[in-house]
Amino acid sequence: MSTEGGATGYIVHHLTPLSVGEGFWTLHLDTLFFSALLGGLFILFFKTVAERATSGVPGLAQNIAETLVEFVDTQVKDSFHGRSPLIAPLSLTIFCWVFMWNAMDMLPVDLLPMIGSLMGMEYMRVVPSTDLNGTFALSISVFFLIFFYSIKVKGLMGFAKEMTCTPFGPKMMPFNLLLKTVEELAKPISLGLRLFGNLYAGELVFILIALLPPIVQPLLGFPWAVFHILVITLQAFIFMVLTIVYLSLAHEDH
Amino acid sequence: MSINATLIGQMITFTLLVWFTMKYVWPPIIAALEERKTKISEGLAAAEKGQEEIKLAEKKAKGLLKEAKEQSAEIVSAAQKRANQLVEESKDQAKKEGERLLEAAKAQIEQEMLQAKESLRKEVSSLALRAAEQILKEEIDKAKHQDILSKAADQLG
């Protein structure tokens, strides 16, 4: 535990990303690295299973993958009534990736940063979902998809009509447009901020617990970790379900 | 806490992941699941069919058994009837044979009786003639007394 600069210094140190570049062109290397690493693990696992997928008796790995796939598929079929080759795989990717991001939270707060500092990296933030860039990357991608499917399904005119003529009819066009714009923009913002806020707060609590005397740490750290198992799963699930819901709304023609 | 180029990098990673999942992960797993579903439902259907067939076979076997029972009962009753008939027949035959034998014996007895009578009569008439010759000690004119003799013989017969 590096406590130079006191508690505040410790917390700030933990929440500062490893970055290169200036201004907008700053890159958070830790976020990019860990999310890519976890994405790679996700791909590796599912690709291995998919290659060996058999309709006979499944092995352990296939069972896990199938459980996830069926779980996601059920969610998609429950809320989305169209046919789309994208939505189900998209949801699976979101659920697994976000879950793995969040699960990084369960590692001891000092473990990876310590290894990093031994390798000469001054800062390290291991949970990609505590980086707004990470969560917004997902939610903005989803936003683009919503936009894309809205126009694809309803047509450009249909989409324009929905943006301007609902909910109050054509007479209130400017007001409607304002309202709908806010509504549409609220989707990616709330989606990204919700995940970020939950995980950032969770990580912060872990950091605070790490500041307590060693005897007290397990007393608080253990229940919080157990509680966090629920939080990380729930947040991944919420992100996935909302994505499905938003996309199915985009597919609906009024 | 600032939004910066990391966002773009993350979006690229995300896009790649989704593309890969859509192309290489989702379809084979779903295909395997669907195939298993089909296999299971086929298996269940086959099992149901098999059970149906068993039921049918049981029904058929029952029918056959019933038929066989009926047939055997028929055979047994026919055999009994035939046996009774045979017994009746042989009884009849025996009765007839007995009657015939009795008849024959009666006829023979009758004949023998007649023969015995005849010979007895002849003997008696000759005895009577000899007795009369002895008594009379005289020659009897056989021709003269023929009437008397035959009268006597008739009376004896």
Side-chain angles (χ1 to χ4, degrees), chain B:
Chain B
M1 203 43 56
S2 52
I3 300 291
N4 53 38
T6 313
L7 183 79
I8 298 166
Q10 287 291 86
M11 280 169 80
I12 293 167
T13 316
F14 181 55
T15 312
L16 285 175
L17 282 179
V18 171
W19 169 78
F20 192 90
T21 311
M22 198 168 98
K23 188 128 192 181
Y24 298 109
V25 172
W26 191 264
I29 293 180
I30 282 291
L33 285 173
E34 283 300 319
E35 207 181 313
R36 186 171 321 130
K37 220 191 248 171
T38 323
K39 266 189 188 172
I40 289 172
S41 63
E42 270 171 9
L44 285 175
E48 210 160 291
K49 207 178 152 199
Q51 252 167 356
E52 203 77 4
E53 268 167 17
I54 284 176
K55 262 185 200 166
L56 227 77
E58 259 173 15
K59 216 172 163 187
K60 207 175 164 187
K62 259 186 194 167
L64 281 174
L65 209 68
K66 204 178 158 194
E67 213 170 288
K69 265 185 186 165
E70 271 168 13
Q71 250 173 8
S72 66
E74 230 166 75
I75 289 171
V76 166
S77 75
Q80 239 161 14
K81 211 170 154 191
R82 179 91 186 106
N84 283 347
Q85 209 178 341
L86 278 175
V87 167
E88 264 336 283
E89 263 173 28
S90 52
K91 261 187 194 167
D92 266 11
Q93 236 168 5
K95 216 171 163 185
K96 270 182 197 160
E97 183 72 14
E99 268 167 15
R100 198 178 59 81
L101 282 174
L102 203 66
E103 210 67 22
K106 268 183 184 169
Q108 209 175 353
I109 288 168
E110 193 93 351
Q111 209 181 349
E112 269 171 22
M113 211 166 73
L114 280 175
Q115 264 176 359
K117 263 185 181 170
E118 190 63 22
S119 64
L120 213 62
R121 203 182 48 161
K122 274 179 183 162
E123 209 152 321
V124 168
S125 61
S126 71
L127 268 176
L129 269 178
R130 226 176 285 161
E133 266 175 9
Q134 294 260 320
I135 293 167
L136 296 171
K137 290 248 188 201
E138 293 170 350
E139 249 182 79
I140 299 169
D141 191 353
K142 265 195 182 175
K144 220 177 167 182
H145 302 286
Q146 190 60 47
D147 275 351
I148 303 162
L149 278 176
S150 50
K151 251 181 219 167
D154 277 348
Q155 270 166 356
L156 280 167

